[in-house]
Structures are given as structure tokens and as C-alpha cells.
């Protein structure tokens, strides 16, 4: 549910999952493992910083290419 207005520079959990090519459970696992930090929102609708998501996506791309 993406009806919530978020601050510029942040992504919803759904947007983050799409950017990383994973599901919402995958996003939750990244948070649980400390690889991604919430940067706002609410416990039920967290936001993630675009910079953090982009860095993780680049890291994942580099790992797949190697």
C-alpha cells in the first residue's frame, strides 16, 4: 500500500524491493541482518534512504558480475 506521502530521497518497502529485485520478505531480511537501515516512516510502513538502496543495489550487481 503506497498511498502514504514520503519525504524526498526515501523509498517505501515496495519501491525498495523493486529496486533490488527481491520481495518484501527479502527487504525484511536485509534489515534484520543489518545490511539495510530504516530511515523513517512507521514500523508498519518503513522508508529507506535512496542512497542506501542504491549502494546495496550496486553491491549486489557487482557480486553477480564476479
Amino acid at each position: 500500500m503506497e498511498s502514504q506521502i514520503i519525504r524526498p530521497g526515501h523509498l517505501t518497502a515496495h519501491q525498495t524491493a523493486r529496486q533490488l529485485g527481491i520481495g518484501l520478505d527479502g527487504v525484511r531480511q536485509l534489515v534484520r541482518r543489518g545490511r539495510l537501515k530504516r530511515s523513517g516512516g512507521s514500523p508498519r510502513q518503513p522508508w529507506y534512504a535512496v542512497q542506501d538502496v542504491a549502494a546495496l543495489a550496486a553491491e549486489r550487481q557487482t557480486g553477480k558480475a564476479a
Side-chain angles (χ1 to χ4, degrees):
M1 185 165 174
E2 296 184 44
S3 62
Q4 184 180 20
I5 297 174
I6 65 171
R7 292 183 305 196
H10 292 81
L11 299 171
T12 65
H14 289 274
Q15 292 167 330
T16 298
R18 270 186 254 137
Q19 288 291 319
L20 296 175
I22 59 178
L24 290 175
D25 285 335
V27 173
R28 285 189 281 273
Q29 288 295 322
L30 289 171
V31 171
R32 188 177 68 80
R33 293 178 181 156
R35 306 268 333 257
L36 183 63
K37 291 175 73 175
R38 294 180 177 113
S39 64
S42 67
R44 291 184 63 106
Q45 295 183 336
W47 304 340
Y48 303 96
V50 169
Q51 290 178 329
D52 294 345
V53 175
L56 190 54
E59 181 182 313
R60 290 169 57 86
Q61 278 293 87
T62 304
K64 288 182 183 177

